[in-house]
Amino acid sequence: MRRWFQSWADNLDPSVRSGDNDLRSWGQFFIASLVVMIVAAFVPGPSDFFQLSFPPAAALMGVACVVGVSGNLYDRIKRFSLLNYARAVLVNSFFLHLAAYAQIIYSEKPGAFVMGALPLLVACFHGYNYRATPSHPFVPLVGVVAAACAFALRPSAEHAAIFAIVTPACVGGALMLGTIGLRAQHQRNKHEALRSAISAQMLDERAAAVNRLSETLLEILRRNHDAGNALSTSLLTAEALAELTKGRIEEPAEIEDMHEVALTLRDALGRLKRLVDETRQIGRGQTHSSTAEPANPAEVAAAVVREVGARFPEVAVELRVAERATGHRVGVSGGSERLHDVLTNLLVNACEGNGRRGATRVLLSIDLEPAVSVVAIQVVDDGPGFSPELLANPITGFHTSKPNGMGLGLYTAERLLRASG
């Protein structure tokens, strides 16, 4: 049962958890619910249609809001573990379902039929957000329990007929939207992984092309240097020829012609020498171009640790930055965004482990090696590690030991780092 529940907790969307901790949504929900109940209980016309008993209905709605806000405040300050967060989700869902069903039992026909839309909305919303599926029907089951408790507060034959229609609809709606949401999340994760892998592949190929171009330019510069030396020698020889021929031939016409040839040769060699020098300068400028952009590893690592820590609250994700590495910038192909992808893939891989057992503690350390002026980034965890078979083979895409993995995390990181040199 625990592994079944753990499997559902692992599928919860971290972005939903972050949204839950925004108390403004709770305030908006409470105000909207209060307005609906006041209209249904006191405004002439609607009050005759719904005949809502305001005190008990408002009390249950208030309890649901207090429980929800308290849980989210605790999660915001203290941080639930993943399993405790999943339990808090079910408790919160129970009270919200109970408050929604209370609007039915404390209303009279025909308004009670209309109030049946409230638990349906709650069930569909929670089913989608908290990934209710036939294999993980925890949220719909909590809704059924809340319906039974609500009906026990004020049992009647008229309300029983409404509950018999609304409750199955809530279960079906939650399961349907939860399944759609889970599939959409998996597709989104796959698309993001593929996008990162393709981007890494392109940057790697671009870096390889730049390296080939640099090697070609270096070879050109080497040959250019040799040609420049030869031209310098020829230029000096032409100068010497011009001096030697002056006055050495008896016929004045021949002397003048020879001297003119020497001067022409000297001028031509001088122009060629200038062209060689200009080509060398252009080549030197090109050899320094690359796809690398400056990035601050300490700043990027701090953001990644916060995000991965929120995604895996049961794992102690720590960051240790040496003082001498603070503020140091490095060249990364793709800049800070791609370094963010690399560190995220490494930390997520450490937290997930082999898919069956993950780490409980992950340390990301950053230090500066002053002797060679490079930044050393190290990830250490207490997870199961890699199998000897995986370590013996090169990193390839779409090869993984995790049941639900895609095999693109380390592949993407390796490509991006290789593209960065």
Side-chain angles (χ1 to χ4, degrees), residues 98-320:
L98 181 64
Y101 279 112
Q103 311 309 308
I104 299 176
I105 63 173
Y106 291 116
S107 297
E108 302 297 336
K109 292 173 61 177
F113 282 107
V114 178
M115 287 295 187
L118 296 179
L120 182 60
L121 289 174
V122 171
C124 291
F125 181 74
H126 278 203
Y128 180 83
N129 275 350
Y130 301 120
R131 305 303 185 243
T133 63
S135 58
H136 298 118
F138 297 103
V139 170
L141 289 177
V142 164
V144 172
V145 173
C149 293
F151 184 74
L153 292 175
R154 192 185 180 194
S156 70
E158 293 180 348
H159 290 116
I162 300 174
F163 273 59
I165 297 172
V166 172
T167 304
C170 290
V171 172
L175 293 176
M176 180 181 68
L177 290 180
T179 301
I180 293 173
L182 185 60
R183 288 177 179 174
Q185 179 180 335
H186 286 167
Q187 290 297 320
R188 187 166 60 248
N189 292 341
K190 288 182 180 180
H191 290 163
E192 182 62 25
L194 286 172
R195 184 193 67 80
S196 297
I198 291 172
S199 177
Q201 175 80 21
M202 293 175 64
L203 286 172
D204 186 26
E205 293 176 355
R206 181 183 174 192
V210 170
N211 289 335
R212 289 194 298 270
L213 177 61
S214 296
E215 291 173 0
T216 302
L217 288 173
L218 288 172
E219 179 64 19
I220 292 173
L221 288 177
R222 187 183 67 80
R223 295 176 180 272
N224 181 281
H225 178 73
D226 295 340
N229 290 339
L231 286 173
S232 297
T233 303
S234 300
L235 189 59
L236 291 174
T237 303
E239 291 280 2
L241 178 63
E243 292 296 327
L244 289 173
T245 56
K246 189 174 182 180
R248 295 297 180 92
I249 301 177
E250 296 180 357
E251 296 294 332
E254 293 181 1
I255 294 174
E256 188 66 29
D257 290 342
M258 183 66 71
H259 186 62
E260 186 67 28
V261 169
L263 291 177
T264 303
L265 176 61
R266 184 193 63 183
D267 293 341
L269 289 173
R271 290 195 300 272
L272 186 57
K273 180 68 167 58
R274 286 193 296 273
L275 288 173
V276 169
D277 292 339
E278 291 174 2
T279 303
R280 182 184 295 120
Q281 292 299 323
I282 294 173
R284 285 174 178 170
Q286 289 298 318
T287 55
H288 293 294
S289 64
S290 70
T291 60
E293 299 176 19
N296 187 320
E299 292 179 358
V300 175
V304 170
V305 167
R306 286 194 300 270
E307 295 171 10
V308 176
R311 181 174 173 182
F312 298 92
E314 74 281 4
V315 181
V317 183
E318 303 174 22
L319 173 63
R320 185 179 300 161

Side-chain angles (χ1 to χ4, degrees), residues 329-341:
R329 303 176 75 84
V330 297
V332 180
S333 185
S336 298
E337 182 180 357
R338 293 297 166 244
L339 181 60
H340 186 283
D341 291 343

